[in-house]
Amino acid sequence: QGVAGYLKYQANDWFAFSPRVEYYDDANGFSTGVSQKLKDVTLTGEFKHKDGVVFRLEYRGDFSDKAFFIKDTSGLVKNQNALTFGFIYAFSSKS
């Protein structure tokens, strides 16, 4: 069972902000192999250039009630964080 919420706020022609939250209860471990409750939060900033280039900066935090995520070689932990930078170019029409 799970639920998710997604929003997108388009501040102007060149900037948008998208927060997302998700919750998933894998009670029997069917999907993940571990009986656990997972939550995640993602925050995305999107910058559009008039020439069809899009830059995205994104933070994501994943959280579980069980040690599930791999941390280096030290074993498993209950949460993980990621910061990504994306670059997208549209080869099609810019209109």
Side-chain angles (χ1 to χ4, degrees):
Q1 297 180 27
V3 65
Y6 302 88
L7 295 173
K8 183 173 183 179
Y9 173 67
Q10 188 74 44
N12 51 42
D13 290 343
W14 59 271
F15 179 74
F17 178 70
S18 300
R20 302 183 299 276
V21 295
E22 299 169 343
Y23 172 80
Y24 181 61
D25 184 358
D26 193 3
N28 298 315
F30 178 78
S31 298
T32 63
V34 176
S35 175
Q36 64 181 323
K37 292 176 175 54
L38 292 161
K39 297 173 232 160
D40 79 72
V41 175
T42 307
L43 306 172
T44 304
E46 180 177 271
F47 305 87
K48 293 181 185 177
H49 190 270
K50 63 182 178 187
D51 293 331
V53 178
V54 176
F55 300 97
R56 287 188 181 146
L57 181 63
E58 183 168 278
Y59 162 77
R60 178 181 171 120
D62 296 300
F63 311 93
S64 175
D65 63 340
K66 304 279 174 64
F68 176 73
F69 303 104
I70 298 171
K71 180 168 175 113
D72 301 324
T73 58
S74 62
L76 300 176
V77 294
K78 289 186 177 184
N79 66 310
Q80 67 180 4
N81 297 291
L83 185 65
T84 59
F85 177 76
F87 172 82
I88 302 164
Y89 179 75
F91 291 97
S92 62
S93 171
K94 309 301 184 266
S95 58

